[in-house]
Amino acid sequence: MESNKIVYTSFSKLAVAIAVSQGASLPKAKKLIIKSFERHPFHKEVSKIIKKVKLNKENLNILSNNCISICEDFGPDRDYITLVLLLEKIYKIEEFEAVEKDTILNIIHKFKAAIERINANIPAPPLYNVILETRAIAEWTSMFWLYPFIPKHKSNREKPVLLMPPYLGNDNSTTFVRKYLKSLGFKTYKWELGVNMINSKSLPKLIEKLDEIFEKHQEKVSLVGWSGGGIFAKIIANRFPDKVAQLITIGSPVWGVKNMKTPIIQTLEFIRGAKLRERNEKFIKELEEIPNLPITCVYTKTDGLIPWKNCMEAETYRDDIKNVEVFGSHCGLGANATVLLTVANALNANIELNTKKSIIQKVETLFFPSFWQKKGVSKFTNLIFS
């Protein structure tokens, strides 16, 4: 939160000013803006910032430009979409008077365009990461002897899970993930469409398969997609939230695909190809939308194929959206022990609503980058006493 404090301080002032410009008193404006942040993971911290807002005579355009300037300084970030969506939400609040509606709508459109421009500048994976993809061979071969030692937290319910392989991969690519989830008690399903060429023609068949699983179990299905498979999974989750329990993506570009810089441009042929241009615009728009269901996005900062920032969803938009960083290559994510643990823990947490960690799960955090990013020795004592 500390790194975002400057952004939210500037944004809060803009949001409150917009509410006041529509006829609300300052106290009422603050109350309504705070309510708009109710599902924000840092709701308490942001609420304190909003309560301290003092308005001078700054023009709305100036306040908007100040916020945009700060976002530009910090660089591309998917979480900026949270600011855009909140502005649109504030604009639609019925309690406000229809004052300066056109002016405010124009400011919101300019703000959104500026954020899209900022987020279009995510660089391609560095050559160093691309070269490091060769370690995937070691990751896959080592998994054969490492697999028996991976902790298993069994689920009491046979919940259905549909898995989708990466670009140029097939059901063999998800073997370890499926095997692991099955050992925990989940009912796993292959995608059974051969090699994943990320062809839009696969979508109707996947939807049909989702329907079959849904009818068989009479309950929502969890979707797990690796890389290109995650693109299909997110689009399906957006279209059928009534049939999807949750979405888990593994190294998948879940936003910004239109401007994404990657050494495998061909991966996105169904989105950016000349022959499918009109249809592609529809897919791009659907991929930008955030499904209204629990989301977990697994990514690695040493990804050599997909820019890791494109693999993260807007964690600040809702408290049921999580981004989990792991160590490893892009091509080796299907044979990565921390990926298996993350997928299983996400499924268990969102299905059984169990957020309390066991001692073994606490020890597992040692293998994730987030643990080593914490400062001080307290991170070790917290493993036992927290």
Side-chain angles (χ1 to χ4, degrees):
M1 175 59 197
E2 201 61 37
S3 60
N4 294 324
K5 192 172 182 180
I6 299 174
V7 174
Y8 280 103
T9 298
S10 177
F11 177 78
S12 296
K13 198 168 186 179
L14 170 62
V16 171
I18 287 177
V20 170
S21 71
Q22 294 187 81
S25 63
L26 184 58
K28 184 179 180 181
K30 290 182 179 181
K31 185 178 180 180
L32 290 170
I33 302 305
I34 289 173
K35 187 177 179 181
S36 298
F37 278 91
E38 60 187 355
R39 295 216 52 192
H40 194 287
F42 301 121
H43 177 257
K44 292 182 180 179
E45 293 86 345
V46 175
S47 295
K48 291 178 182 178
I49 294 174
I50 295 172
K51 289 176 181 178
K52 294 179 181 179
V53 169
K54 293 181 180 180
L55 295 180
N56 298 315
K57 294 183 179 181
E58 292 104 330
N59 181 280
L60 288 177
N61 280 303
I62 293 176
L63 292 174
S64 176
N65 290 335
N66 287 342
C67 188
I68 291 170
S69 179
I70 292 171
C71 291
E72 286 179 327
D73 291 339
F74 278 108
D77 194 324
R78 174 58 167 170
D79 280 329
Y80 295 155
I81 193 63
T82 298
L83 309 182
V84 174
L85 294 173
L86 283 170
L87 284 182
E88 293 176 345
K89 184 177 180 180
I90 293 166
Y91 175 79
K92 295 175 182 177
I93 294 178
E94 295 180 356
E95 295 180 47
F96 292 149
E97 299 175 10
V99 181
E100 297 187 29
K101 284 286 186 180
D102 292 338
T103 301
I104 293 170
L105 187 60
N106 186 46
I107 290 173
I108 294 174
H109 284 162
K110 286 183 178 179
F111 186 88
K112 183 177 182 179
I115 293 301
E116 289 176 349
R117 173 177 54 79
I118 294 170
N119 280 342
N121 295 316
I122 298 176
L127 180 60
Y128 177 73
N129 283 7
V130 177
I131 296 173
L132 276 179
E133 282 298 314
T134 54
R135 64 189 153 150
I137 299 172
E139 290 169 329
W140 277 94
T141 53
S142 63
M143 179 52 73
F144 286 99
W145 64 263
L146 182 64
Y147 179 82
F149 301 99
I150 302 175
K152 295 178 174 62
H153 311 290
K154 290 187 177 291
S155 173
N156 296 324
R157 312 173 189 176
E158 283 197 356
K159 295 291 183 178
V161 183
L162 175 58
L163 295 100
M164 305 174 201
Y167 173 60
L168 295 182
N170 55 25
D171 286 319
N172 291 327
S173 306
T174 59
T175 297
F176 283 119
V177 183
R178 283 186 289 106
K179 182 180 178 182
Y180 184 67
L181 294 180
K182 191 174 181 179
S183 71
L184 302 184
F186 293 99
K187 181 62 178 176
T188 61
Y189 289 90
K190 303 176 182 179
W191 95 317
E192 297 179 320
L193 294 176
V195 176
N196 184 359
M197 300 302 293
I198 312 189
N199 191 318
S200 58
K201 292 179 180 179
S202 298
L203 202 51
K205 297 177 183 177
L206 279 173
I207 294 170
E208 184 178 345
K209 189 168 188 65
L210 173 68
D211 289 337
E212 291 175 359
I213 300 172
F214 181 80
E215 290 299 321
K216 179 179 178 180
H217 290 267
Q218 290 297 301
E219 62 179 314
K220 293 183 178 181
V221 182
S222 294
L223 303 181
V224 178
W226 173 17
S227 191
I231 293 177
F232 284 124
K234 188 179 182 185
I235 290 174
I236 292 173
N238 269 319
R239 290 189 185 183
F240 305 99
D242 56 325
K243 294 182 180 180
V244 177
Q246 62 180 303
L247 169 66
I248 300 176
T249 62
I250 305 170
S252 302
V254 293
W255 71 281
V257 171
K258 185 177 182 179
N259 299 298
M260 191 171 74
K261 301 172 182 67
T262 166
I264 48 169
I265 293 294
Q266 295 84 356
T267 299
L268 310 173
E269 183 179 357
F270 88 113
I271 291 177
R272 301 171 70 175
K275 295 181 181 179
L276 298 172
R277 191 170 300 277
E278 291 183 4
R279 183 182 297 180
N280 294 341
E281 291 300 322
K282 179 184 177 183
F283 281 111
I284 290 171
K285 185 178 180 181
E286 285 187 280
L287 202 56
E288 292 296 319
E289 295 173 2
I290 303 175
N292 188 24
L293 42 84
I295 302 170
T296 302
C297 296
V298 183
Y299 70 98
T300 168
K301 287 187 177 180
T302 54
D303 196 314
L305 301 182
I306 306 293
W308 61 269
K309 285 191 175 183
N310 289 111
C311 299
M312 301 171 68
E313 191 47 276
E315 201 170 30
T316 56
Y317 182 55
R318 287 197 318 263
D319 51 13
D320 63 351
I321 299 175
K322 308 294 181 186
N323 294 313
V324 181
E325 182 186 354
V326 298
F327 294 114
S329 67
H330 180 90
C331 294
L333 289 173
N336 186 313
T338 51
V339 170
L340 269 59
L341 289 169
T342 300
V343 173
N345 290 338
L347 288 170
N348 278 321
N350 290 323
I351 289 174
E352 301 183 3
L353 301 178
N354 179 22
T355 56
K356 189 175 181 180
K357 292 184 177 180
S358 65
I359 293 296
I360 294 178
Q361 286 176 307
K362 289 179 181 178
V363 173
E364 288 170 6
T365 60
L366 286 166
F367 302 99
F368 290 84
S370 58
F371 177 85
W372 300 103
Q373 289 165 3
K374 296 176 183 176
K375 297 179 180 179
V377 295
S378 60
K379 61 187 176 185
F380 294 101
T381 57
N382 287 339
L383 284 177
I384 301 172
F385 301 109
S386 64

